[in-house]
Amino acid sequence: MLTYDIVIVGAGGGGLYAALETSRCKGLRVAVLTKVYPTRSHTGAAQGGINAALGNVAPDSPEKHAYDTVKGSDFLADQDAVELMCEMAPKVIREMEHMGLPFSRLSDGRIAQRPFGGASFPRTCYAADKTGHVMLQTLYEQCIRFGVEFLNEWFALSLVHNGERIAGLTAVNLRTGSIVGIRARAVILATGGHARIYWKRTSNALGNTGDGPAMALRAGVPLKDMEFVQFHPTGLRRTGILVTEGARGEGGYLINAKGERFMERYAPEKMELAPRDLVSRAIETEIMEGRGFEDEEGNKFVYLDLRHLGRKKILERLPQIRELAIDFEGVDPIEEPIPVRPTAHYSMGGIDTDKFGRTSIKGLYAVGECGCVSVHGANRLGGNSLLDIVVFGKIAGKDAVESIEGLDFVSFPESKVKDEGERIKALFNSDGSEKLSQLRNELSDVMSEGVGIFRSEEGIRRALNKVREIKERAKKLKVYDTELTFNTNLQQTLEFLNMIEVAETIALGALERKESRGAHSRTDYPKRDDEKFLKHSIIRKGDDGELRVSWKPVVITKFPPEERKY
């Protein structure tokens, strides 16, 4: 049994910022537990930038930032949390600047800002098109500097609590295969998103498998707004790898097979810089109505054209995008347009928290994409995800430190470790009549078809039934690799079991929300229905193992709901 005061699960931007904040309190023993090395966390894949109303390019204010965020969320975001995030944004940017984060600069030396979708002003601070990557490196260096302890290549299995307070968690050390109980007075989940459920077409890293929400669900902690999954408009044609919104922010055009800048039909004012939900639906509509392209492999797509930006600008501001286009599509965007199509990208829903990251279990927090504060509502604006993780990572870290003052550890039954051992042993001893790769592909297909960009009652019900069938069949999965050291067969199986649990909540939430709002677009209920559904969906698992749906009010402060127009 290991013992820490605070354990943070996940080493992306949210986890590292929480760790930094806790490290300011001397005398506490804090550990970051992560299944990959910290600098490989998915924050490193964030390309385009981070929003803050610095006003370096045009007059701006936190209030305007908050309004754009609430409007972008289709008015489902909790406005008190949005205001808090936008107020703290300039301070956090300057904090990271002083840590040494190498932001791109204007000619006068101030931090550069570029336009992003749904924003009224150029508000997105950036470091070329590698913003998340340099942020991750900077925060990790600071954690090392301040003596944060890391448990690298550990996989979290389950949360342990007494019904009121957190006692810790169980985890497997991937290097040795040993299952260990970890006592803690506070646990902060920062495990990232779950768009890997859409396995065949997603911008997410292999590890984005919903481990945090799945653990929370099994522990009786409710999830919120799980039906909202964002499809980023511009994933590469074959792989779904992200092409940053910064490419459109710098002036890129979307072109259909008729040579039209088709966004004029959908968002005449904002064009390519409309919010992501709107642009993704526009691209899919163009393809479905026969105005897209199709290659010899059957891939359907539109073009993102950057050629008019010129070689110098592309090399300076979008160097990684150029490399990705060359490596994965064989296309140099200086010379040719990039073939793109929407890709499963971001999870607006997650573990239900308040604006301090607190969950329904005292001492248990969730931050970043695995949590739902909620500041993104039904649709996240580009540039707000990196802001979310650092702001609420900082807040949760500070609150966790304060919350454990004077509190002793809660009793941690050693039987919990034995229970996890039995669960894993059962996977080794299963009959193996089902195959992991087959079930994973079936899950991806049914979620993409039934709970993708466009949804209907019939499709969602089919998806939900299929997910439940896959859940039953998954009981016959077998871990064939019996080695204890770095057993990736075991890890992938555990991740898949987590994905199934989370997928069921996405489909169930989508079924119950009988309206169209943000990224949740139902063909049978095409209008937003504030009278019935201006509220958060809450899904929890009962003692009988069944999922139950309830609803929670949206916090509205300054911005009354109105029709979204771009």
Side-chain angles (χ1 to χ4, degrees), residues 353-412:
T353 76
D354 66 11
K355 63 183 180 182
F356 300 99
R358 303 168 186 150
T359 71
S360 58
I361 298 293
K362 290 179 181 174
L364 176 65
Y365 295 77
V367 299
E369 201 172 343
C370 79
C372 183
V373 175
S374 117
V375 288
H376 308 304
N379 175 65
R380 175 177 69 78
L381 291 187
N384 272 352
S385 64
L386 289 182
L387 180 60
D388 171 3
I389 61 177
V390 294
V391 165
F392 291 103
K394 181 181 178 73
I395 290 172
K398 183 172 185 291
D399 198 83
V401 169
E402 293 171 356
S403 74
I404 63 173
E405 188 174 351
L407 292 180
D408 204 348
F409 290 88
V410 171
S411 174
F412 188 123

Coordinates of all heavy atoms in Angstrom, one line a residue, residues 353-412:
T353 N -19.0 18.1 -11.9 CA -18.3 18.9 -10.9 C -18.9 20.2 -10.7 O -19.6 20.7 -11.6 CB -16.8 19.1 -11.2 OG1 -16.6 20.1 -12.2 CG2 -16.1 17.8 -11.7
D354 N -18.5 20.9 -9.6 CA -18.9 22.3 -9.4 C -17.7 23.1 -10.0 O -16.7 22.5 -10.6 CB -19.2 22.7 -8.0 CG -18.0 22.5 -7.1 OD1 -16.8 22.3 -7.6 OD2 -18.1 22.5 -5.8
K355 N -17.7 24.4 -9.8 CA -16.6 25.2 -10.4 C -15.3 25.2 -9.7 O -14.3 25.8 -10.2 CB -17.1 26.7 -10.6 CG -17.4 27.4 -9.3 CD -17.9 28.8 -9.5 CE -18.2 29.5 -8.2 NZ -18.7 30.9 -8.4
F356 N -15.2 24.4 -8.6 CA -13.9 24.1 -8.0 C -13.4 22.7 -8.4 O -12.4 22.3 -7.8 CB -14.1 24.2 -6.5 CG -14.6 25.6 -6.0 CD1 -15.9 25.8 -5.7 CD2 -13.7 26.7 -6.0 CE1 -16.3 27.1 -5.3 CE2 -14.1 27.9 -5.6 CZ -15.4 28.2 -5.3
G357 N -14.1 22.0 -9.2 CA -13.7 20.7 -9.6 C -14.2 19.6 -8.7 O -13.8 18.5 -8.8
R358 N -15.0 20.0 -7.6 CA -15.4 19.0 -6.7 C -16.5 18.1 -7.2 O -17.4 18.6 -8.0 CB -16.0 19.7 -5.4 CG -15.0 20.7 -4.7 CD -15.8 21.5 -3.8 NE -15.0 22.6 -3.1 CZ -15.6 23.7 -2.7 NH1 -16.9 24.0 -2.9 NH2 -14.8 24.7 -2.2
T359 N -16.5 16.8 -6.8 CA -17.5 15.9 -7.2 C -18.4 15.6 -6.1 O -18.3 16.3 -5.0 CB -16.9 14.6 -7.7 OG1 -16.4 13.9 -6.6 CG2 -15.8 14.8 -8.7
S360 N -19.3 14.6 -6.2 CA -20.2 14.3 -5.1 C -19.6 13.6 -4.0 O -20.2 13.4 -2.9 CB -21.4 13.5 -5.7 OG -20.9 12.3 -6.3
I361 N -18.3 13.1 -4.2 CA -17.6 12.5 -3.1 C -16.5 13.5 -2.6 O -15.7 14.0 -3.4 CB -16.8 11.2 -3.6 CG1 -17.8 10.2 -4.1 CG2 -15.9 10.6 -2.5 CD1 -18.7 9.6 -3.0
K362 N -16.5 13.8 -1.3 CA -15.6 14.7 -0.7 C -14.2 14.3 -0.9 O -13.8 13.1 -0.7 CB -15.9 15.0 0.8 CG -17.2 15.7 1.0 CD -17.4 15.9 2.5 CE -18.8 16.6 2.7 NZ -19.1 16.7 4.2
G363 N -13.3 15.2 -1.4 CA -11.9 14.9 -1.7 C -11.7 14.3 -3.0 O -10.5 14.1 -3.4
L364 N -12.7 14.0 -3.8 CA -12.5 13.6 -5.2 C -12.9 14.7 -6.1 O -13.9 15.3 -6.1 CB -13.5 12.4 -5.5 CG -13.4 11.9 -7.0 CD1 -12.0 11.3 -7.3 CD2 -14.5 10.8 -7.2
Y365 N -11.9 15.0 -7.0 CA -12.0 16.1 -8.0 C -11.9 15.6 -9.4 O -11.3 14.5 -9.6 CB -10.9 17.2 -7.8 CG -11.0 17.9 -6.4 CD1 -10.6 17.3 -5.2 CD2 -11.4 19.2 -6.3 CE1 -10.6 17.9 -4.0 CE2 -11.5 19.9 -5.1 CZ -11.1 19.2 -4.0 OH -11.2 19.9 -2.8
A366 N -12.4 16.4 -10.4 CA -12.1 16.0 -11.8 C -11.9 17.4 -12.5 O -12.6 18.3 -12.3 CB -13.3 15.3 -12.4
V367 N -10.8 17.4 -13.3 CA -10.5 18.6 -14.1 C -10.2 18.2 -15.5 O -9.9 17.1 -15.9 CB -9.3 19.3 -13.5 CG1 -9.5 19.7 -12.1 CG2 -8.0 18.5 -13.6
G368 N -10.4 19.3 -16.4 CA -10.1 19.1 -17.8 C -11.1 18.3 -18.5 O -12.3 18.3 -18.1
E369 N -10.8 17.6 -19.6 CA -11.7 16.9 -20.4 C -12.5 15.8 -19.8 O -13.6 15.4 -20.2 CB -11.1 16.5 -21.7 CG -12.0 16.3 -22.9 CD -11.3 16.0 -24.2 OE1 -10.1 16.3 -24.3 OE2 -11.9 15.5 -25.1
C370 N -11.9 15.2 -18.8 CA -12.6 14.1 -18.1 C -13.7 14.6 -17.2 O -14.6 13.9 -16.8 CB -11.7 13.2 -17.3 SG -11.2 13.8 -15.7
G371 N -13.7 15.9 -16.9 CA -14.7 16.5 -16.0 C -15.7 17.3 -16.8 O -15.5 17.6 -18.0
C372 N -16.7 17.8 -16.1 CA -17.7 18.7 -16.8 C -18.0 19.8 -15.8 O -18.8 19.5 -14.9 CB -18.9 17.9 -17.3 SG -20.1 19.0 -18.2
V373 N -17.5 21.0 -16.0 CA -17.6 22.0 -14.9 C -19.0 22.6 -14.9 O -19.6 22.8 -13.8 CB -16.6 23.1 -15.1 CG1 -16.7 24.3 -14.2 CG2 -15.2 22.5 -14.9
S374 N -19.7 23.1 -16.0 CA -19.4 23.0 -17.4 C -19.2 24.4 -18.0 O -20.0 25.3 -17.8 CB -20.6 22.3 -18.0 OG -21.3 23.1 -19.0
V375 N -18.1 24.5 -18.8 CA -17.8 25.8 -19.4 C -18.0 25.7 -20.9 O -17.9 26.7 -21.6 CB -16.4 26.3 -19.1 CG1 -16.3 26.8 -17.7 CG2 -15.3 25.2 -19.4
H376 N -18.2 24.5 -21.4 CA -18.3 24.3 -22.9 C -19.7 24.0 -23.3 O -20.0 24.1 -24.5 CB -17.4 23.2 -23.4 CG -16.0 23.3 -22.9 ND1 -15.2 24.5 -23.2 CD2 -15.2 22.5 -22.2 CE1 -14.0 24.4 -22.7 NE2 -14.0 23.2 -22.0
G377 N -20.6 23.6 -22.4 CA -22.0 23.3 -22.7 C -22.1 22.3 -23.8 O -21.6 21.2 -23.8
A378 N -22.9 22.7 -24.9 CA -23.2 21.8 -26.0 C -22.1 21.9 -27.1 O -22.2 21.0 -28.0 CB -24.5 22.1 -26.5
N379 N -21.2 22.8 -27.0 CA -20.2 23.0 -28.1 C -19.1 23.8 -27.6 O -19.3 25.0 -27.2 CB -20.8 23.6 -29.3 CG -19.8 23.9 -30.4 OD1 -19.2 23.0 -31.0 ND2 -19.5 25.2 -30.7
R380 N -17.8 23.3 -27.6 CA -16.7 24.0 -27.2 C -16.1 24.9 -28.3 O -16.0 24.5 -29.4 CB -15.6 23.1 -26.7 CG -14.3 23.8 -26.3 CD -13.3 22.8 -25.7 NE -12.7 21.9 -26.7 CZ -11.8 22.2 -27.6 NH1 -11.3 23.5 -27.7 NH2 -11.4 21.3 -28.5
L381 N -15.7 26.1 -27.9 CA -15.0 26.9 -28.9 C -13.5 26.6 -28.9 O -12.9 26.2 -27.9 CB -15.1 28.4 -28.5 CG -16.5 29.1 -28.6 CD1 -16.4 30.6 -28.4 CD2 -17.1 28.8 -30.0
G382 N -12.9 26.6 -30.1 CA -11.5 26.4 -30.2 C -10.7 27.3 -29.4 O -11.1 28.5 -29.3
G383 N -9.7 26.9 -28.7 CA -8.8 27.7 -27.9 C -9.3 27.7 -26.4 O -8.6 28.2 -25.6
N384 N -10.5 27.2 -26.1 CA -11.0 27.2 -24.8 C -10.6 25.9 -24.0 O -10.8 25.8 -22.8 CB -12.5 27.4 -24.7 CG -12.9 28.8 -24.6 OD1 -12.0 29.7 -24.5 ND2 -14.1 29.1 -24.8
S385 N -10.1 24.8 -24.7 CA -9.9 23.6 -24.0 C -8.6 23.7 -23.2 O -8.5 23.3 -22.0 CB -9.8 22.4 -25.0 OG -8.7 22.6 -25.9
L386 N -7.5 24.3 -23.8 CA -6.3 24.5 -23.1 C -6.5 25.4 -21.9 O -5.9 25.3 -20.8 CB -5.2 25.0 -24.0 CG -4.6 24.0 -25.0 CD1 -3.5 24.7 -25.8 CD2 -4.1 22.8 -24.3
L387 N -7.4 26.4 -22.1 CA -7.7 27.3 -21.0 C -8.4 26.6 -19.9 O -8.1 26.8 -18.7 CB -8.5 28.5 -21.6 CG -8.9 29.6 -20.6 CD1 -7.7 30.2 -20.0 CD2 -9.8 30.6 -21.2
D388 N -9.4 25.8 -20.2 CA -10.1 25.1 -19.2 C -9.2 24.2 -18.4 O -9.3 24.3 -17.1 CB -11.1 24.1 -20.0 CG -11.8 23.1 -19.1 OD1 -11.6 23.1 -17.9 OD2 -12.6 22.3 -19.7
I389 N -8.3 23.5 -19.0 CA -7.4 22.6 -18.2 C -6.5 23.3 -17.2 O -6.3 22.9 -16.1 CB -6.6 21.6 -19.1 CG1 -5.7 22.3 -20.0 CG2 -7.6 20.7 -19.8 CD1 -4.8 21.3 -20.8
V390 N -5.9 24.5 -17.7 CA -5.0 25.1 -16.8 C -5.7 25.9 -15.7 O -5.3 26.0 -14.5 CB -4.0 26.1 -17.5 CG1 -3.1 25.2 -18.4 CG2 -4.7 27.1 -18.4
V391 N -6.8 26.6 -16.0 CA -7.6 27.3 -15.0 C -8.2 26.4 -14.0 O -7.9 26.6 -12.8 CB -8.7 28.2 -15.7 CG1 -9.7 28.7 -14.6 CG2 -8.1 29.3 -16.4
F392 N -8.9 25.4 -14.4 CA -9.5 24.5 -13.4 C -8.6 23.5 -12.8 O -8.8 23.0 -11.7 CB -10.8 23.9 -14.0 CG -11.8 24.9 -14.2 CD1 -12.1 25.4 -15.5 CD2 -12.6 25.5 -13.2 CE1 -13.0 26.4 -15.8 CE2 -13.5 26.5 -13.4 CZ -13.8 26.9 -14.7
G393 N -7.4 23.2 -13.4 CA -6.4 22.5 -12.8 C -5.8 23.3 -11.6 O -5.6 22.7 -10.5
K394 N -5.6 24.5 -11.8 CA -5.1 25.4 -10.8 C -6.1 25.5 -9.6 O -5.7 25.4 -8.5 CB -4.8 26.8 -11.4 CG -4.3 27.8 -10.5 CD -4.1 29.2 -11.2 CE -3.6 30.3 -10.3 NZ -2.2 30.1 -10.0
I395 N -7.4 25.8 -10.0 CA -8.4 25.9 -8.9 C -8.6 24.6 -8.1 O -8.6 24.7 -6.9 CB -9.7 26.3 -9.6 CG1 -9.6 27.7 -10.2 CG2 -10.9 26.2 -8.6 CD1 -10.8 28.2 -11.0
A396 N -8.6 23.5 -8.8 CA -8.8 22.2 -8.1 C -7.7 21.9 -7.2 O -7.8 21.4 -6.1 CB -9.1 21.1 -9.1
G397 N -6.4 22.2 -7.7 CA -5.3 21.9 -6.9 C -5.3 22.7 -5.6 O -5.0 22.2 -4.5
K398 N -5.6 24.0 -5.7 CA -5.6 24.9 -4.5 C -6.7 24.4 -3.6 O -6.5 24.3 -2.4 CB -5.9 26.3 -5.0 CG -5.9 27.3 -3.9 CD -6.0 28.7 -4.5 CE -5.9 29.8 -3.4 NZ -7.1 29.9 -2.6
D399 N -7.9 24.1 -4.1 CA -9.0 23.6 -3.3 C -8.7 22.3 -2.6 O -9.1 22.1 -1.4 CB -10.3 23.5 -4.1 CG -11.6 23.5 -3.3 OD1 -12.0 24.6 -2.9 OD2 -12.1 22.4 -2.9
A400 N -8.1 21.4 -3.3 CA -7.7 20.1 -2.7 C -6.8 20.3 -1.5 O -7.0 19.6 -0.4 CB -7.1 19.2 -3.7
V401 N -5.8 21.2 -1.6 CA -4.9 21.4 -0.5 C -5.7 21.9 0.7 O -5.5 21.5 1.8 CB -3.8 22.4 -0.9 CG1 -3.1 22.9 0.3 CG2 -2.9 21.8 -2.0
E402 N -6.6 22.9 0.4 CA -7.4 23.5 1.6 C -8.3 22.5 2.2 O -8.6 22.5 3.4 CB -8.1 24.7 1.0 CG -7.2 25.9 0.6 CD -7.9 27.0 -0.1 OE1 -9.2 26.8 -0.3 OE2 -7.3 28.0 -0.4
S403 N -8.9 21.6 1.3 CA -9.9 20.7 1.8 C -9.4 19.6 2.7 O -10.1 19.1 3.6 CB -10.6 20.0 0.6 OG -9.8 19.1 0.0
I404 N -8.1 19.3 2.6 CA -7.6 18.2 3.4 C -6.9 18.7 4.7 O -6.5 17.8 5.6 CB -6.6 17.3 2.7 CG1 -5.3 18.2 2.3 CG2 -7.2 16.7 1.4 CD1 -4.2 17.3 1.7
E405 N -6.9 20.0 4.9 CA -6.3 20.5 6.1 C -7.0 20.0 7.4 O -8.2 20.1 7.5 CB -6.3 22.0 6.1 CG -5.5 22.6 7.2 CD -5.4 24.2 7.1 OE1 -5.9 24.7 6.1 OE2 -4.9 24.8 8.0
G406 N -6.3 19.3 8.2 CA -6.9 18.8 9.5 C -7.6 17.5 9.4 O -8.1 17.0 10.4
L407 N -7.7 17.0 8.2 CA -8.4 15.7 7.9 C -7.4 14.5 7.9 O -6.3 14.6 7.4 CB -9.2 15.7 6.6 CG -10.4 16.7 6.5 CD1 -11.0 16.6 5.1 CD2 -11.4 16.4 7.6
D408 N -7.8 13.5 8.5 CA -7.0 12.2 8.5 C -7.4 11.4 7.3 O -8.4 11.7 6.6 CB -7.2 11.5 9.8 CG -6.0 10.6 10.1 OD1 -5.2 10.4 9.2 OD2 -6.0 10.0 11.2
F409 N -6.7 10.3 7.1 CA -7.1 9.4 6.0 C -8.4 8.6 6.4 O -8.6 8.3 7.5 CB -6.0 8.4 5.7 CG -4.7 9.1 5.1 CD1 -3.7 9.6 5.9 CD2 -4.6 9.1 3.8 CE1 -2.6 10.2 5.4 CE2 -3.5 9.7 3.2 CZ -2.5 10.3 4.0
V410 N -9.1 8.3 5.3 CA -10.3 7.4 5.5 C -9.8 6.0 5.4 O -8.8 5.7 4.7 CB -11.3 7.7 4.3 CG1 -12.4 6.7 4.3 CG2 -11.9 9.1 4.5
S411 N -10.5 5.1 6.1 CA -10.1 3.7 6.1 C -10.1 3.1 4.6 O -11.1 3.4 3.9 CB -11.1 2.9 6.9 OG -10.9 1.5 6.8
F412 N -9.1 2.4 4.3 CA -9.0 1.8 2.9 C -9.0 0.3 3.0 O -8.0 -0.3 3.4 CB -7.7 2.3 2.3 CG -7.5 2.0 0.8 CD1 -7.3 3.0 -0.1 CD2 -7.5 0.7 0.4 CE1 -7.1 2.7 -1.4 CE2 -7.4 0.4 -1.0 CZ -7.1 1.4 -1.9

